[in-house]
Amino acid sequence: MEIAAASTVSVAPQLPRLTNAFSRKLGSISSLSFGSLKRNYCVGKVSASSSVDVITADKISPASFLDKRETGGVLHFVKYHGLGNDFILVDNRDSSEPKITQEQAAKLCDRNFGVGADGVIFAMPGVNGTDYTMRIFNSDGSEPEMCGNGVRCFARFIAELERTCKGKTVVLTALWVVQVKVDMGIPILKAQDVPTKLPGNKGEAVIQAELVVDGVSWNVTCVSMGNPHCITFGTKGGPLPEIGPKFEHHEMFPARTNTEFVEVLSRSHLKMRVWERGAGATLACGTGACALVVAAVLEGRANRKCTVDLPGGP
Ligand SMILES: N[C@@H](CCC[C@H](N)C(=O)O)C(=O)O
């Protein structure tokens, strides 16, 4: 079921390195927008508060991981996606510790033995004057600094929680499909802050530099949107599961990297495949889409305003 988009929520990430803070004092500062978000419920019954009841762990096995953190053995969650980049969202506003561990998150994200997702997002109490903080674990359990589609889902989730809680400022006029715009902040180009060990070749930035991957030479530009991205243009490549991990774990990327393989269709139309750090091939990556437009502009391949086609949509 889909109802037309009706609500726009802007998000200002204020601590791009470690946390993504969601401020209720929202200005209209969006500079990049993505496609609509959709909410999928994947298991169990949908309750009035839009959470999903999972069968209590103790009915399955006393050692089941879900009963270790949440009272009563129930983890309430919803499943959202942005262009098919899908996340399990947990209301963690009552604690500064995530309700599940990184290992448990990896199990939940397993598409065969768990719920299945690209990551788990926690809506945490605010820090430094913000109302909320987002934390996210990738599907391998690692913790990234930032996630563009994740922060959109997070904004949508907060909007829904606030609506449920009443008396707050976020207005939601339709369910199911909502446009959420995110201010992604300023890209970081300084090599050591991306981070990459590739030496800066345009000042401290790494732009169209040579990277040898498994004996093959690639031209790459390195951009951080809070999390590291390595962008390469052209049609060269191969199956993502083969080539992606070689970039992700390349010695030039001390914090590993997300990698975007980009085709330039025109100066305002780009097409990307992505291999995400800690999650593999995903249908969409918001930080990746932004990073590749930055790279395309820096390499003189595209205008500053572009449509990016991702496997999950434009
Ligand atoms: N899909 C996300 C990025 C998620 C984090 C990434 N896997 C990382 O480890 O940096 C997005 O939409 O930005």
Side-chain angles (χ1 to χ4, degrees), residues 82-87 118 149 272 274 276 282-286 310-313:
L83 293 181
N85 195 192
D86 60 341
F87 304 98
D118 293 327
N149 278 317
M272 83 179 215
V274 60
E276 282 194 36
T282 60
L283 294 183
C285 179
L310 303 98

Side-chain angles (χ1 to χ4, degrees), residues 85 87 118 136 138 142-150 184 227-229 258 276-279 282 284-288:
N85 195 192
F87 304 98
D118 293 327
I136 171 170
N138 282 320
S142 60
E143 181 168 12
E145 308 86 340
M146 175 56 177
C147 175
N149 278 317
M184 298 290 285
N227 57 348
H229 291 270
N258 300 285
E276 282 194 36
R277 178 182 64 169
T282 60
C285 179
T287 48

Side-chain angles (χ1 to χ4, degrees), residues 90-96 99 123-125 132 158 161-162 165 168:
V90 177
D91 180 2
N92 216 111
R93 290 173 299 168
D94 57 353
S95 165
S96 52
K99 286 186 198 284
M124 316 279 296
Y132 308 100
I158 290 294
L161 290 172
E162 293 289 351
C165 294
K168 300 289 173 83

Side-chain angles (χ1 to χ4, degrees), residues 58-140:
D58 56 3
K59 284 185 194 152
I60 304 167
S61 141
S64 178
F65 68 87
L66 285 176
D67 63 356
K68 288 185 187 153
R69 289 291 186 96
E70 287 233 272
T71 323
V74 175
L75 179 72
H76 292 272
F77 67 93
V78 287
K79 180 109 183 285
Y80 288 7
H81 73 90
L83 293 181
N85 195 192
D86 60 341
F87 304 98
I88 294 162
L89 287 107
V90 177
D91 180 2
N92 216 111
R93 290 173 299 168
D94 57 353
S95 165
S96 52
E97 274 305 307
K99 286 186 198 284
I100 59 170
T101 65
Q102 288 169 266
E103 292 70 31
Q104 290 168 343
K107 287 183 181 172
L108 265 191
C109 288
D110 188 293
R111 295 202 183 271
N112 297 108
F113 296 101
V115 172
D118 293 327
V120 180
I121 289 173
F122 305 91
M124 316 279 296
V127 292
N128 294 349
T130 59
D131 294 304
Y132 308 100
T133 304
M134 179 179 108
R135 281 186 70 179
I136 171 170
F137 295 154
N138 282 320
S139 57
D140 73 350

Side-chain angles (χ1 to χ4, degrees), residues 3-278:
I3 299 174
S7 175
T8 298
V9 182
S10 301
V11 179
Q14 296 181 351
L15 302 172
R17 276 263 145 222
L18 293 173
T19 57
N20 305 306
F22 177 85
S23 168
R24 197 183 302 132
K25 299 172 195 81
L26 298 167
S28 194
I29 50 175
S30 310
S31 56
L32 292 152
S33 67
F34 307 85
S36 59
L37 290 174
K38 294 181 184 170
R39 179 181 57 180
N40 293 333
Y41 293 111
C42 53
V43 265
K45 274 186 174 176
V46 179
S47 71
S49 63
S50 303
S51 60
V52 177
D53 287 343
V54 179
I55 300 165
T56 55
D58 56 3
K59 284 185 194 152
I60 304 167
S61 141
S64 178
F65 68 87
L66 285 176
D67 63 356
K68 288 185 187 153
R69 289 291 186 96
E70 287 233 272
T71 323
V74 175
L75 179 72
H76 292 272
F77 67 93
V78 287
K79 180 109 183 285
Y80 288 7
H81 73 90
L83 293 181
N85 195 192
D86 60 341
F87 304 98
I88 294 162
L89 287 107
V90 177
D91 180 2
N92 216 111
R93 290 173 299 168
D94 57 353
S95 165
S96 52
E97 274 305 307
K99 286 186 198 284
I100 59 170
T101 65
Q102 288 169 266
E103 292 70 31
Q104 290 168 343
K107 287 183 181 172
L108 265 191
C109 288
D110 188 293
R111 295 202 183 271
N112 297 108
F113 296 101
V115 172
D118 293 327
V120 180
I121 289 173
F122 305 91
M124 316 279 296
V127 292
N128 294 349
T130 59
D131 294 304
Y132 308 100
T133 304
M134 179 179 108
R135 281 186 70 179
I136 171 170
F137 295 154
N138 282 320
S139 57
D140 73 350
S142 60
E143 181 168 12
E145 308 86 340
M146 175 56 177
C147 175
N149 278 317
V151 87
R152 293 198 307 133
C153 291
F154 175 75
R156 173 71 173 82
F157 184 50
I158 290 294
E160 187 153 324
L161 290 172
E162 293 289 351
R163 175 179 166 272
T164 307
C165 294
K166 289 187 181 140
K168 300 289 173 83
T169 52
V170 177
V171 179
L172 206 65
T173 53
L175 294 177
W176 299 103
V177 179
V178 177
Q179 295 286 342
V180 178
K181 291 182 177 182
V182 181
D183 181 333
M184 298 290 285
I186 297 168
I188 297 158
L189 300 175
K190 191 174 168 183
Q192 74 180 47
D193 292 342
V194 169
T196 176
K197 288 184 184 166
L198 286 167
N201 60 352
K202 294 271 159 53
E204 291 178 289
V206 176
I207 300 170
Q208 252 180 318
E210 188 189 31
L211 178 72
V212 178
V213 182
D214 223 13
V216 179
S217 170
W218 297 75
N219 271 328
V220 300
T221 291
C222 298
V223 176
S224 167
M225 293 302 307
N227 57 348
H229 291 270
C230 169
I231 300 104
T232 183
F233 293 90
T235 48
K236 189 163 74 175
L240 278 180
E242 270 175 34
I243 191 73
K246 292 177 183 163
F247 279 81
E248 179 179 355
H249 299 282
H250 197 286
E251 60 181 353
M252 287 295 129
F253 303 113
R256 301 194 279 157
T257 191
N258 300 285
T259 307
E260 286 76 29
F261 300 86
V262 190
E263 271 180 70
V264 179
L265 305 177
S266 77
R267 287 193 65 82
S268 59
H269 195 182
L270 309 168
K271 187 176 172 188
M272 83 179 215
R273 297 187 299 157
V274 60
W275 181 264
E276 282 194 36
R277 178 182 64 169

